Amino acid sequence: MRYIQRYLPSGYIDMSAIIDEPDLPFKFLWGGRGTGKTFGALEKAKRIHEATGNTFIYLRRTEIQLKEVMKPGNNPFKELNSIYGWNIQPMKHKDYGLCFFDCEEDENGKLKIKNQKPYGYLMALSTVGNIRGLSYSDVSLIIYDEFMKMPTERTMKNEGFAFADLYESVNRNREMAGREPLQVICLSNANDLANDIFVYYHLVDRVEFMIKNNKMQYLDYGRGFALLRFDDSEISKKKQKKNLLNS
C-alpha cells in the first residue's frame, strides 16, 4: 500500500513530497493549523516556476477574500519574502489581471513590477465564470487556500460545480495531448467536512470513515484523489496548548 510522506523532520508539512506524488491530481489537505500548508504550497509553486516556467493559480472562495489578500499586510508571500529575500507581490496588471509578480521599489519607494511575466494568477471561485474561453496553458498548479468555509461564512451556491468547471476550463484535456494533468491542492484549517466540493465528488463518506477509524490519509489512484488530514500535527497541538495557557 502506498503512502505519502506528510511531514518533514521539523514537523512542518512536506508540501514538496505531497505535490510531487504522481497520479493524484486532486489533493485535499485539512486540519493542523500553523503547519505551513500555504507557505509550503507557495514555495513549491515558486520552485516549479523557476525550473519550468509554469505558473500557478492562487484561488480563494470569494471576491471579498481576494481583495483582502491584495492588501500589503495580507500578502500570502509575506513570510517567504522575509525568509528568502524575495519581493513577490500581488499586483493588478493591465493584460494579466490580478497576479503575483517579482517587484522592486522605484526612486520614490513605490512598488513596481520588475519582471512582466507573472509567477501566478489570483482568482476567486465565486467569479471563475469570467475566465471561460481564456487560455491558461501555462498553469500547472492550482492552490485553493481555505477551501472549506468557516461556520460564519455563507454557503456558495453550486460551489462544487464551480470548482469542477474551473478545473476543466484550465486543464482542457491536457492528457489527450500527452501532457500531465493540471494539479490542484486544496488547503484548509477549518473542518467543514460536508463542504460542497466533497459532496460533488462523493467524498463525504470516505472522509467520515477516515475520522471514525483515525486514518490520516486516503489515496485513490483510480480517481486521482488524495485526502490528507493533519489533526495529528505536533506543531499544531503545541500551539493550541500555548494558546490555552495564555488565555
Side-chain angles (χ1 to χ4, degrees):
M1 186 176 292
R2 294 165 68 177
Y3 288 93
I4 296 177
Q5 177 176 307
R6 291 178 303 135
Y7 293 109
L8 294 164
S10 63
Y12 288 98
I13 292 176
D14 191 343
M15 198 60 70
S16 185
I18 292 169
I19 291 177
D20 285 343
E21 180 68 18
D23 305 318
L24 294 168
F26 294 90
K27 298 179 173 82
F28 299 93
L29 287 64
W30 71 93
R33 184 180 296 275
T35 50
K37 290 188 289 293
T38 303
F39 180 101
L42 289 173
E43 181 181 10
K44 181 65 175 179
K46 169 73 158 52
R47 304 302 184 193
I48 290 173
H49 180 83
E50 290 173 343
T52 67
N54 290 338
T55 58
F56 66 95
I57 289 173
Y58 178 80
L59 185 68
R60 296 300 299 257
R61 290 185 67 249
T62 69
E63 200 166 12
I64 292 174
Q65 291 172 344
L66 199 62
K67 287 179 179 178
E68 287 299 310
V69 167
M70 294 298 295
K71 296 178 180 178
N74 297 333
N75 179 6
F77 272 98
K78 184 178 180 179
E79 189 174 357
L80 285 160
N81 287 341
S82 176
I83 291 173
Y84 293 115
W86 301 341
N87 195 1
I88 301 174
Q89 303 290 339
M91 305 283 281
K92 187 171 184 178
H93 191 279
K94 61 182 179 65
D95 295 323
Y96 299 117
L98 301 181
C99 298
F100 287 111
F101 288 98
D102 187 16
C103 294
E104 61 183 356
E105 292 185 358
D106 62 18
E107 61 274 10
N108 298 315
K110 185 178 180 181
L111 277 177
K112 67 175 183 179
I113 296 172
K114 182 178 179 181
N115 185 344
Q116 293 294 318
K117 181 173 174 54
Y119 284 113
Y121 307 91
L122 291 93
M123 297 182 186
L125 187 63
S126 59
T127 58
V128 292
N130 299 334
I131 75 164
R132 287 177 182 168
L134 302 178
S135 174
Y136 289 93
S137 59
D138 59 324
V139 172
S140 61
L141 175 67
I142 294 177
I143 300 170
Y144 189 1
D145 206 4
E146 299 298 348
F147 77 99
M148 294 184 189
K149 69 177 181 64
M150 296 295 288
T152 54
E153 293 181 65
R154 292 183 180 180
T155 300
M156 189 188 307
K157 188 177 181 181
N158 298 322
E159 190 167 344
F161 174 83
F163 175 80
D165 188 53
L166 169 65
Y167 183 86
E168 292 304 323
S169 296
V170 178
N171 187 56
R172 291 194 175 184
N173 297 317
R174 298 177 185 197
E175 303 92 324
M176 302 293 289
R179 297 179 59 194
E180 289 294 318
L182 172 70
Q183 282 209 69
V184 182
I185 186 158
C186 300
L187 315 171
S188 180
N189 288 318
N191 283 279
D192 177 23
L193 304 181
N195 65 83
D196 203 44
I197 293 176
F198 281 179
V199 172
Y200 183 88
Y201 287 111
H202 306 289
L203 296 171
V204 176
D205 288 346
R206 174 52 59 182
V207 172
E208 290 177 346
F209 175 85
M210 290 173 66
I211 294 171
K212 183 179 180 181
N213 293 276
N214 199 32
K215 302 293 184 182
M216 293 297 157
Q217 58 181 284
Y218 169 73
L219 311 179
D220 185 342
Y221 288 93
R223 296 181 65 200
F225 290 102
L227 303 175
L228 302 170
R229 294 172 58 203
F230 294 90
D231 303 320
D232 60 341
S233 165
E234 290 301 320
I235 287 177
S236 183
K237 289 176 182 178
K238 287 177 182 177
K239 288 185 176 181
Q240 289 177 353
K241 186 177 180 180
K242 185 177 179 180
N243 289 338
L244 285 173
L245 292 172
N246 293 335
S247 62

